[in-house]
């Protein structure tokens, strides 16, 4: 029986055409492929190279032919006649009929740092450490421009509230990955949503959504749908499993017997986050050194900018202020200062501190503050939730 | 010498025309008048009656004649000719030339709950307890409509970044209270900024800005300038003390010797907040009762909605989910459900819990979560700052 199953899997393995991946990635799940880079790689460069960017696949990577690719757009109202129609754009249409925009945006998985939550009390989900986050440049057509070209008018905002996305990735039953965002985010001039065909200046890699991925800056990775096949303007949220019964936050007192998925909103903007990438957890520091350099990343959802990162080397008793970086050294671009509410990219930070003289152990902790002065919570148990999402307590 | 001073103060007391106030208010400062209601009053009604709404005055209350009142508007660019001009509107203009809009919005002082911070380590500022917050209906002209009527055009967004407000309240040297907000907030259709002439259906009370107060929903009280005299569209923030050298957040490691006000952004949107209004701190509970009802408020800045409040009666070890209210009982208005990002009003909450059987003491704690899944920090010391603003740790 087991052998038969294995045999069948080998011959018709839906993951057989998945792309090659960099061997340095730490694999959380092979099929579907989910993996993250070693933390120190994240702070080596302001822009995360695509090969090191975390891979979060829900399903097999689809093999899309760019020559025949069509993005379908449906406007589900206000009358049945209009709802019946569908607009479609080829990849060439998206590249040539709309101005090309480039933004730098950080994408974070809702489950980033789930392992910290899992350590204090069991949760269900992939055991991500701190690297299910990355920062890239994304180029493509503005989602807004494409929706307008497909016939969206400002009047539609009276009935339409959501923009649904369907991926071309499918399970064996033919169900596609799907999710939705608010129409207001999708259509806003300042929302900066893109139908991206490039990541870091090259065609999207297969693992990151080739040929088209919607980039929804400031919003959880799960809504940045890859291998985008269809867009639906609707009065309703996506009915998909991932919008309705996953990617939501709950109280620490909610368990699998009491959870009511309807009672919580779908995660969209993520809360303020930061983590220490170096020194690594449990690293030994040379006693002959007089100081140590601590590095990490910090980011907040909704375009809120990181305004400060505090670092402690005594477990949170006293703090110092880290130096923030919005680019690699010597590449600061004055024109790239984001407008308020459009700070889509992370800040890397570092701080060199004298080694405490007597301590045998040193507990390094970081916490970030965003432009709405939201802060990270001190500890994990009070934000623990059964799915292990939104894990943003101080990192130690 | 002292007698002479007192004499002078009596005869030319700039506070002598301040209005009468309700005797139940707890006074933090008499001149200027700063006072807050007893906490239990806040959760008696969803809409805070104006007499109980906290008063936060920086200067004497100005005596404004509504018949001769003029609101001046200056657009400081892009050329000197235009910048030299000033538009002005009478109170009657504001009431009759623009559609009247009504919103329900919570206003919170940056210093609300400063006393909790002061308890753990000394801070500078008025010793507000938990009631420097209130929820009212505000009616008036949309700031957006008035700025457009004064000649603002979308092209101005290329050079203009801020909207400055000057109050008619002045110190002895003639300096007015002032502050500014982002132009994007002021001009946005969804920003809902009002030039309010009514609070809770009546003309603005003298303590709340008669005849005009700008309401900037989702933004700290300090930018909701009362007795509004002048609006300036500018490329720069307000140069006032309150914008530049006050109302900013700092690290717990920053003291009066090291503080650099230029290093932190002016507080605009406030972080997620909640507090317990009843039972009162230190209250004794009747042992013959089998349960206790805990009540409080919760609110977040930036139009982010409160999606959950967790309550603990064992100091934060275990939690229960409170019932949220967006109106008084029996007055739920389906049409008043706010659009995402426009949840300007607080939620009141309550929870009836069985009394722990054995405990001699019961420590009640609350913490709220907003629609971006931002949470309150566990403890106060790590968010302590020298001015005692942004005090939003769990309330106990
Ligand atoms: Mo995710
Ligand atoms: Mo304030």
């Amino acid at each position: 029986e087991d052998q038969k199953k294995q045999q069948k899997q080998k011959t018709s393995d839906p993951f057989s055409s998945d792309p090659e991946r960099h061997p340095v990635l730490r694999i959380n799940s092979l099929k579907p492929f989910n993996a993250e880079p070693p933390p120190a790689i994240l702070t080596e460069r302001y822009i995360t190279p695509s090969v090191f960017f975390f891979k979060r696949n829900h399903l097999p990577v689809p093999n899309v032919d760019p020559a025949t690719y069509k993005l379908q757009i449906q406007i589900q109202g206000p009358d049945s006649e209009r709802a019946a129609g569908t607009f479609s754009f080829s990849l060439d249409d998206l590249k040539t009929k709309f101005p090309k925009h480039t933004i730098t945006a950080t994408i974070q998985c809702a489950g980033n740092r789930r392992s910290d939550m899992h350590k204090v009390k069991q949760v269900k989900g992939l055991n991500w450490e701190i690297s299910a986050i990355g920062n890239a440049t994304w180029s493509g057509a503005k989602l807004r421009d494409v929706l307008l070209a497909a016939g969206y008018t400002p009047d539609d905002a009276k009935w339409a509230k959501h923009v649904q996305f369907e991926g071309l990735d499918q399970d064996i039953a033919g169900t596609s990955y799907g999710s939705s965002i608010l129409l207001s985010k999708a259509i806003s001039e300042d929302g900066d949503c893109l139908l991206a065909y490039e990541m870091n200046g090259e065609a999207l890699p297969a693992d990151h959504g080739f040929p088209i991925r919607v980039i929804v800056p400031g919003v959880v990775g799960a809504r940045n749908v890859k291998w985008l096949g269809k867009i639906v303007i609707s009065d309703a949220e996506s009915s998909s499993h991932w919008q309705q019964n996953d990617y939501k936050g709950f109280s620490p007192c909610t368990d699998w017997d009491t959870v009511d998925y309807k009672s919580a909103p779908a995660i969209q903007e993520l809360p303020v986050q930061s983590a220490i990438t170096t020194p690594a957890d449990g690293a030994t520091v040379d006693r002959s050194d007089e100081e140590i350099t601590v590095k990490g990343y910090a980011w907040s959802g909704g375009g809120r900018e990181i305004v400060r990162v505090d670092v402690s080397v005594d477990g949170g008793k006293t703090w110092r202020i880290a130096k923030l970086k919005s680019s690699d050294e010597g590449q600061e671009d004055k024109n790239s200062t984001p407008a308020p509410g459009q700070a889509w990219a992370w800040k890397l930070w570092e701080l060199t501190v004298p080694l405490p003289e007597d301590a045998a152990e040193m507990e390094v902790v970081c916490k970030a503050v965003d432009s709405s002065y939201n802060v990270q919570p001190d500890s994990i148990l009070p934000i623990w939730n059964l799915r292990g999402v939104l894990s943003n307590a101080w990192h130690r």
Side-chain angles (χ1 to χ4, degrees), chain A:
Chain A
E1 182 66 37
D2 259 20
Q3 226 179 342
K4 216 168 157 189
K5 235 184 215 164
Q6 272 189 355
Q7 194 66 30
K8 196 179 168 198
Q9 225 165 5
K10 223 178 238 168
T11 51
S12 67
D13 182 357
F15 296 95
S16 59
S17 66
D18 265 25
E20 294 284 309
R21 282 94 181 201
H22 198 287
V24 81
L25 297 176
R26 180 184 157 274
I27 294 171
N28 285 316
S29 148
L30 199 58
K31 297 178 180 184
F33 192 74
N34 286 282
E36 63 188 306
I41 281 186
L42 291 183
T43 41
E44 276 178 8
R45 298 178 193 81
Y46 184 67
I47 301 293
T48 313
S50 304
V51 290
F52 298 138
F53 206 97
F54 77 99
K55 323 291 175 203
R56 200 283 175 252
N57 298 344
H58 295 85
L59 297 163
V61 174
N63 217 326
V64 184
D65 178 358
T68 58
Y69 170 82
K70 295 272 180 196
L71 173 66
Q72 291 187 287
I73 303 185
Q74 190 191 356
I75 303 181
Q76 275 188 338
D79 50 70
S80 55
E81 196 187 343
R82 186 153 170 237
T86 302
F87 231 83
S88 91
F89 294 101
S90 69
L91 183 57
D92 199 56
D93 288 340
L94 294 172
K95 287 183 173 178
T96 60
K97 292 190 174 165
F98 303 94
K100 180 178 178 178
H101 291 271
T102 298
I103 62 167
T104 303
T106 295
I107 296 182
Q108 182 181 214
C109 177
N112 190 33
R113 299 188 58 204
R114 179 178 283 132
S115 58
D116 286 338
M117 212 168 253
H118 191 71
K119 270 176 227 158
V120 299
K121 191 177 159 195
Q122 197 189 355
V123 295
K124 199 172 133 183
L126 294 166
N127 202 35
W128 296 107
E129 297 192 348
I130 68 167
S131 303
I133 186 169
N135 188 51
T137 64
W138 309 93
S139 304
K142 272 211 171 185
L143 175 59
R144 170 188 165 80
D145 292 344
V146 176
L147 294 181
L148 290 170
Y152 172 86
T153 70
D155 259 6
D156 288 321
K158 284 175 193 151
W159 62 268
K161 300 298 168 201
H162 304 272
V163 176
Q164 306 174 0
F165 305 115
E166 267 178 43
L168 294 169
D169 46 338
Q170 295 188 334
D171 65 15
I172 306 164
T175 305
S176 300
Y177 182 78
S179 72
S180 62
I181 62 170
L182 290 169
L183 171 71
S184 52
K185 170 71 178 173
I187 210 69
S188 159
E189 295 257 22
D190 303 331
D192 285 344
C193 295
L194 294 186
L195 298 177
Y197 41 79
E198 286 178 14
M199 178 183 188
N200 295 338
E202 297 180 340
L204 282 182
D207 264 331
H208 295 287
F210 181 84
I212 294 289
R213 174 181 198 171
V214 60
I215 298 297
V216 188
V219 162
V220 62
R223 315 302 172 208
N224 290 246
V225 175
K226 303 194 281 192
W227 315 292
L228 187 66
K230 189 174 181 184
I231 300 175
V232 180
I233 298 180
S234 175
D235 60 346
E237 278 191 291
S238 166
S239 61
S240 84
H241 166 77
W242 298 276
Q243 189 79 16
Q244 299 295 330
N245 298 316
D246 200 355
Y247 293 118
K248 295 186 171 192
F250 292 98
S251 172
C253 66
T254 298
D255 60 28
W256 289 106
D257 293 329
T258 59
V259 65
D260 170 16
Y261 266 95
K262 292 215 183 318
S263 70
I267 300 171
Q268 297 282 352
E269 296 182 357
L270 286 171
V272 57
Q273 175 70 288
S274 71
I276 301 155
T277 55
T278 174
D281 203 16
T284 308
V285 174
D286 189 340
R287 257 264 148 264
S288 66
D289 291 344
E290 287 183 345
E291 47 185 36
I292 182 173
T293 296
V294 184
K295 293 185 186 185
Y297 64 76
W299 179 75
S300 187
R304 290 178 284 281
E305 191 165 20
I306 294 298
V307 301
R308 202 182 74 238
V309 172
D310 294 330
V311 175
S312 172
V313 291
D314 56 11
K317 284 198 273 294
T318 62
W319 301 91
R320 287 157 194 263
I321 301 169
K323 190 187 160 214
L324 304 179
K325 302 194 314 177
S326 298
S327 72
D328 291 320
E329 234 69 57
Q331 297 182 31
E332 194 68 60
D333 178 1
K334 284 263 176 183
N335 293 322
S336 75
T337 304
Q342 292 173 283
W344 311 125
W346 67 12
K347 291 197 179 166
L348 300 182
W349 54 263
E350 62 176 76
L351 181 69
T352 300
V353 280
L355 281 178
E357 266 181 37
D358 41 1
E361 284 204 351
M362 194 179 69
E363 194 184 11
V364 185
V365 188
C366 74
K367 63 182 176 77
V369 182
D370 75 16
S371 51
S372 295
Y373 282 103
N374 272 300
V375 299
Q376 298 177 244
D378 312 23
S379 63
I380 297 175
L381 262 178
I383 58 164
W384 181 95
N385 60 84
L386 72 185
R387 276 293 270 117
V389 291
L390 306 159
S391 181
N392 75 327
W394 300 355
H395 185 230
R396 2 182 126 232

